[in-house]
Amino acid sequence: MKNNSASASGQPIRASEALRKKLAKLGLRSSVDLVVHLPLRYEDETRITLIAKAPSGVPVQVEATVVSSEIQFRPRRQLVVWVEDESGQLCMRFFNFYPNQRATLVPGACIRFFGEIRDGFFGAEMVHPRFAKASAETPLPQTLTPVYPTTAGVAQSALRKLIVQAIETADLQETLPPELDAALSLPSFAEAVRVLHFPPAGATQEALEARTHPAWQRVKFEEVLAQQFSLRRAYLARRQRGAPALRCKGELAHRLLAALPFALTGAQTRASNEIVADLAQPYPMQRLLQGDVGSGKTIVAALAACHAIEACWQAALMAPTEILAEQHYQKLRGWLEPLGVNVLWLAGSLKASQKKEQQAKAAAGAQLIVGTHALIQEGVDFAKLGLAIVDEQHRFGVQQRLALRQKGGNPHQLMMSATPIPRTLAMSYYADLDVSVLDELPPGRTPVRTRLVSVGRRGEVISFLERQAAENRQAYWVCPLIEESEALQLQTALETYEQLQTELPQCRIGLVHGRLKTDEKQATMAAFLAGEIDVLVATTVIEVGVDVPNASLMVIEHAERFGLSQLHQLRGRVGRGSESSDCVLLYAQPLSQLARQRLKIIFENTDGFEIARQDLQLRGPGEFIGSRQSGVPLLRYADLEADADLVEKARILAEQLLREAPERVERHLARWLGGREELLKS
Ligand code: ADP
Ligand code: MG
């Protein structure tokens, strides 16, 4: 098996040290890496076009004799070469050139040039064409020429040579069992890569560049299959890792439920049961609790913490912002301290001495620790961490989530998110997660009315605010997002705060932004919660998680600048009480096409899943999830949306092969991931 996988991942590339370094930049280390380094596109050098007949703007090949060649210095140093064939003349222009290139382009030489003709200042010309010496007898290539992704210092011709060698020497045998392979009705792996690297005579550029070509289908399927193997293996590896089996009678959770002013929704009960069942297992839970904003994830997390605590282990909850972490802390304290649980606060803004003290308590076994990134910093050690909860998990990078897990050996992990992951992404990027979904909002919520209002009608919004405040209803006013500059964003928030004070003299207006000191933020949020502030002017610091049920109006200024998930999150801050709520999206013209589409989507949809699905369509999975967040390098050839059917097939096959033919899995992974599988585990 060792030998097999070694040969499947190929021999090291035979090239100079310098070239190998450059190839490594392209991820090319072995012969097999070269085999799966596939062309971006193709060029047609099988034909010669007459200069007079050559269309401009598309790649063409001409064969011509050099008439003159000179270096000009104005406007900048360049080599200008005039050539002619039987039909006419053409100018070739080079801004960078080597002496040996110049030596080739001497008057009288017969040269083949490949490039695009464009209309320059002095007539038709080619800038930086590829060229090679030829004679009337030099045969034309019979097939299309592949063009590979490359990097500085690695010429296409060098890559082609290496790939030809690699195809000859590498092991191209199927990794799939013959009967399964046949069922795919696709060309074999060997056939597919041969077709793509060495197009057969007569194959058209169009057919080969279409990713629906059977050869591409084969390659994409193999790639997706490798990803599925890898994710599935990570899943199985996790089951091998030990974790404390958190078993208890559930008395603490029971007492918490009895003390709550509400009953759980069906979805909350279901999710909670799934979590409790996982916690009782001797391997670490890795579960995502996914629920739209306001679906009540916090209480589910609290119940999970109760189980850990009753089983005599610690639980920790990490949130991405201090405002949110603070709010969790207050809420959890309110719920759990009366039941005798000690709840600890740990955030970056604590004074050094306080932090030390809290860290010491965490190390001594505090039962529930709530905080921000401070939880994963150095110096924090948990005595016995049984459960790590990460709220708004998509806000954290993979490394940060891993860090919390590593703090306490192998705790169970519960991640929470209101940003739903569309099904195709869930299948391929989060195959190692179990998912619980809260698909039901607590009763008594009234849907939020969304209004799109142009800034020209800001005055009407102000009057509306005034009437709302007169009825003791509270509002958020979110200031425009200014991506480029935090300072500018802050300035805008201050200006808005002052402006609203003059416009709404009757109202009590508050301000929160990221630069305030923690206790100032806390004081303002507490005042808002207590109803002592009517209008809270805020930057996006309130985007996630903040929960003030009496707030029933959300105004978002320059809504066209926000992303869809942000808008959805912000809108979710209202509609939490029994009053009917409004969300006013103030926008300024002109709207870009994309901004217009986003506003339309948010206006027409309230369901977070639908919004995420449309967001995915708008942006594509690359941006949606980013490899930083997923920890999984994006696929090179397959496209999750377009190739969802391949992902589905690969997923089923992956499970079967891992059971039935592990040695084939090894070979397949070696071929597709070489030594890079570690990257996929997280
Ligand atoms: P999110 O899922 O957005 O984190 P929260 O956990 O903040 O939502 O819950 C939103 C609000 O709904 C909170 O005020 C919470 O106390 C309340 N809530 C949660 N579950 C229920 C329920 N079953 N019935 C009524 N209110 C609930
Ligand atoms: Mg929340």
Side-chain angles (χ1 to χ4, degrees):
M1 204 171 97
K2 261 239 140 76
N3 282 340
N4 267 346
S5 68
S7 75
S9 62
Q11 310 301 325
I13 298 173
R14 249 173 286 145
S16 71
E17 174 78 26
L19 181 55
R20 268 190 298 162
K21 268 203 186 131
K22 286 180 193 148
L23 291 170
K25 270 202 221 153
L26 293 165
L28 303 174
R29 292 184 182 77
S30 72
S31 54
V32 167
D33 292 341
L34 285 165
V35 169
V36 295
H37 190 65
L38 295 168
L40 282 174
R41 57 191 173 82
Y42 298 85
E43 281 176 353
D44 187 355
E45 294 174 308
T46 63
R47 283 175 300 165
I48 302 243
T49 310
L50 287 175
I51 290 176
K53 296 219 168 124
S56 53
V58 290
V60 289
Q61 179 168 244
V62 299
E63 188 172 282
T65 309
V66 176
V67 180
S68 70
S69 158
E70 62 169 352
I71 294 180
Q72 295 180 355
F73 291 92
R74 245 156 255 193
R76 51 186 271 216
R77 187 169 181 271
Q78 52 186 286
L79 178 65
V80 177
V81 179
W82 280 94
V83 304
E84 68 177 2
D85 68 5
E86 61 192 74
S87 71
Q89 287 208 341
L90 190 60
C91 172
M92 306 289 173
R93 205 178 285 279
F94 301 85
F95 295 103
N96 301 299
F97 51 92
Y98 296 104
N100 65 342
Q101 291 181 308
R102 202 185 157 200
T104 309
L105 297 168
V106 288
C110 177
I111 309 282
R112 278 184 197 148
F113 295 93
F114 191 93
E116 280 178 29
I117 294 183
R118 58 172 212 194
D119 292 317
F121 193 64
F122 298 105
E125 63 179 19
M126 272 189 190
V127 177
H128 277 277
R130 234 169 350 96
F131 66 91
K133 219 170 151 159
S135 72
E137 293 86 60
T138 313
L140 282 168
Q142 298 291 303
T143 57
L144 296 173
T145 312
V147 180
Y148 294 99
T150 188
T151 180
V154 184
Q156 288 290 333
S157 51
L159 257 179
R160 272 185 221 131
K161 239 188 247 155
L162 288 168
I163 288 171
V164 171
Q165 284 172 9
I167 296 258
E168 277 165 12
T169 55
D171 166 17
L172 304 183
Q173 275 181 44
E174 291 308 315
T175 50
L176 295 182
E179 66 284 4
L180 290 178
D181 197 47
L184 289 173
S185 334
L186 290 173
S188 70
F189 173 72
E191 228 173 292
V193 291
R194 283 218 176 86
V195 165
L196 295 174
H197 285 300
F198 318 125
T204 65
Q205 233 163 317
E206 217 180 2
L208 278 178
E209 286 176 4
R211 293 292 166 107
T212 45
H213 191 288
W216 278 118
Q217 289 288 324
R218 174 69 198 210
V219 163
K220 292 195 288 189
F221 180 74
E222 297 242 334
E223 180 183 42
V224 170
L225 184 63
Q227 191 189 39
Q228 291 298 321
F229 280 149
S230 179
L231 289 166
R232 184 76 199 151
R233 281 223 304 211
Y235 181 85
L236 296 172
R238 171 160 60 84
R239 301 221 148 195
Q240 299 294 315
R241 278 203 317 262
L246 304 177
R247 298 200 178 112
C248 64
K249 291 205 179 116
E251 275 166 8
L252 192 55
H254 201 75
R255 281 163 60 210
L256 171 57
L257 282 175
L260 285 178
F262 54 78
L264 294 188
T265 63
Q268 284 171 320
T269 307
R270 205 175 334 115
S272 190
N273 290 341
E274 286 166 351
I275 293 166
V276 170
D278 278 3
L279 293 178
Q281 301 301 321
Y283 50 83
M285 165 173 85
Q286 196 155 313
R287 188 170 279 277
L288 177 66
L289 177 61
Q290 200 171 281
D292 213 342
V293 286
S295 58
K297 294 183 286 294
T298 319
I299 184 65
V300 177
L303 291 167
C306 284
H307 277 268
I309 293 163
E310 189 180 330
C312 295
W313 286 76
Q314 294 174 290
L317 186 154
M318 178 165 78
T321 69
E322 198 149 327
I323 288 196
L324 182 55
E326 159 82 17
Q327 189 185 295
H328 280 321
Y329 172 62
Q330 298 298 357
K331 192 167 239 172
L332 291 168
R333 216 161 64 136
W335 280 337
L336 295 173
E337 273 185 359
L339 308 180
V341 174
N342 61 59
V343 185
L344 195 77
W345 170 242
L346 192 54
S349 62
L350 288 175
K351 282 203 213 87
S353 59
Q354 290 173 312
K355 214 190 259 176
K356 269 233 168 81
E357 201 178 304
Q358 301 299 74
Q359 287 172 353
K361 284 185 190 160
Q367 289 169 300
L368 176 60
I369 303 99
V370 181
T372 56
H373 301 81
L375 287 187
I376 50 176
Q377 267 152 17
E378 233 169 285
V380 184
D381 278 305
F382 298 101
K384 252 185 110 179
L385 188 60
L387 171 65
I389 306 170
V390 180
D391 194 18
E392 306 292 345
Q393 63 99 20
H394 58 283
R395 290 303 205 85
F396 292 97
V398 176
Q399 290 313 324
Q400 291 170 315
R401 296 195 310 249
L402 275 180
L404 183 55
R405 180 169 103 194
Q406 282 154 359
K407 278 288 173 195
N410 260 332
H412 297 273
Q413 245 195 319
L414 178 64
M415 287 159 275
M416 305 199 281
S417 179
T419 303
I421 302 165
R423 190 174 145 66
T424 39
L425 283 181
M427 265 188 337
S428 43
Y429 286 92
Y430 288 102
D432 187 29
L433 275 189
D434 296 303
V435 181
S436 297
V437 180
L438 298 183
D439 51 5
E440 187 182 348
L441 290 180
R445 299 279 165 85
T446 46
V448 180
R449 261 189 311 259
T450 302
R451 301 159 193 260
L452 288 171
V453 180
S454 138
V455 271
R457 291 167 53 204
R458 188 172 183 279
E460 292 170 38
V461 178
I462 298 291
S463 326
F464 185 60
L465 253 176
E466 214 166 4
R467 289 198 300 277
Q468 293 266 306
E471 290 173 24
N472 282 327
R473 297 171 56 180
Q474 294 170 279
Y476 296 97
W477 185 290
V478 177
C479 294
L481 181 70
I482 301 171
E483 296 269 2
E484 311 82 57
S485 157
E486 202 196 329
L488 253 173
Q489 175 152 347
L490 184 61
Q491 190 193 329
T492 321
L494 288 169
E495 282 166 12
T496 310
Y497 174 59
E498 277 163 22
Q499 192 182 358
L500 286 177
Q501 276 178 323
T502 13
E503 287 171 328
L504 295 165
Q506 263 69 274
C507 294
R508 294 160 301 176
I509 302 192
L511 173 66
V512 280
H513 55 73
R515 285 290 180 81
L516 286 182
K517 291 217 189 74
T518 307
D519 48 353
E520 294 169 327
K521 265 189 249 176
Q522 278 170 12
T524 310
M525 290 311 292
F528 190 55
L529 189 59
E532 291 154 15
I533 288 175
D534 300 307
V535 180
L536 183 65
V537 177
T539 55
T540 44
V541 292
I542 61 145
E543 180 193 332
V544 289
V546 171
D547 182 36
V548 178
N550 192 48
S552 60
L553 174 61
M554 165 68 63
V555 181
I556 304 175
E557 234 183 310
H558 279 293
E560 76 279 1
R561 294 187 195 165
F562 290 83
L564 268 174
S565 76
Q566 267 181 321
L567 290 173
H568 181 62
Q569 282 271 359
L570 285 168
R571 182 170 60 184
R573 300 305 113 219
V574 294
R576 300 186 153 232
S578 46
E579 300 287 342
S580 74
S581 300
D582 295 271
C583 175
V584 176
L585 302 175
L586 273 173
Y587 65 90
Q589 298 279 12
L591 288 178
S592 71
Q593 176 71 12
L594 198 63
R596 189 181 298 276
Q597 276 173 311
R598 281 200 301 256
L599 291 179
K600 182 166 183 286
I601 292 170
I602 198 77
F603 179 72
E604 287 176 353
N605 295 281
T606 51
D607 175 12
F609 272 92
E610 185 52 26
I611 292 171
R613 202 185 60 77
Q614 300 203 22
D615 200 15
L616 178 70
Q617 260 175 4
L618 222 52
R619 293 195 290 162
E623 261 205 70
F624 191 87
I625 200 90
S627 50
R628 186 188 70 85
Q629 284 182 2
S630 65
V632 180
L634 293 175
L635 297 165
R636 280 191 284 173
Y637 306 118
D639 173 301
L640 285 180
E641 274 290 283
D643 301 317
D645 56 327
L646 293 181
V647 177
E648 189 87 59
K649 258 193 225 162
R651 201 162 109 102
I652 296 165
L653 198 56
E655 286 194 25
Q656 187 187 347
L657 287 184
L658 274 161
R659 270 196 320 271
E660 296 172 5
E663 75 295 342
R664 289 181 180 271
V665 174
E666 288 305 322
R667 283 182 42 222
H668 191 86
L669 282 172
R671 173 175 290 167
W672 280 95
L673 296 172
R676 282 163 288 153
E677 201 188 351
E678 277 307 308
L679 275 177
L680 292 167
K681 288 187 193 147
S682 54

